[in-house]
Amino acid sequence: MTMVVKDPGARIDFEFEWAAAYPDGQAVLASAWTCVPDEPDGVAVAAASHDLLKSVATLTGGIAGRIYRVSNRVTMSDGQIDERSLTVRVEER
């Protein structure tokens, strides 16, 4: 699992590249992002998009000293469902 350090005031994009895991030409048909814990002023997905090969989320917020798990769940063109997560540690920088 990847770890990212984020300032509470920063707005950053994070991307998962799915093409390398599915070399037989499968494509991303659907993508959903979640943040845990889901709390007021916590890390949140402000925007999300995907194309056939990758998914991108814009992360905002977060409470200094807290750790969050951000997950991306995708459905591939062959019906497979996969999920990847990253850990976001929030620190004043």
Side-chain angles (χ1 to χ4, degrees):
M1 186 180 317
T2 303
M3 174 166 278
V4 175
V5 178
K6 181 191 172 308
D7 183 274
R11 181 180 177 102
I12 61 169
D13 289 340
F14 191 83
E15 173 181 299
F16 280 124
E17 175 67 47
W18 291 95
Y22 294 93
D24 293 332
Q26 291 98 331
V28 176
L29 294 183
S31 172
W33 291 84
T34 57
C35 298
V36 176
D38 179 10
E39 60 185 355
D41 299 322
V43 169
V45 176
S49 64
H50 71 86
D51 62 23
L52 299 177
L53 305 175
K54 66 180 182 269
S55 55
V56 180
T58 302
L59 304 179
T60 60
I63 300 168
R66 299 291 304 258
I67 295 175
Y68 299 85
R69 180 181 175 141
V70 178
S71 300
N72 178 223
R73 184 180 183 111
V74 296
T75 302
M76 305 304 289
S77 56
D78 65 355
Q80 293 186 73
I81 296 172
D82 202 353
E83 185 171 309
R84 293 184 187 168
S85 299
L86 68 129
T87 301
V88 178
R89 188 175 73 219
V90 180
E91 294 179 0
E92 295 287 345
R93 295 170 49 168

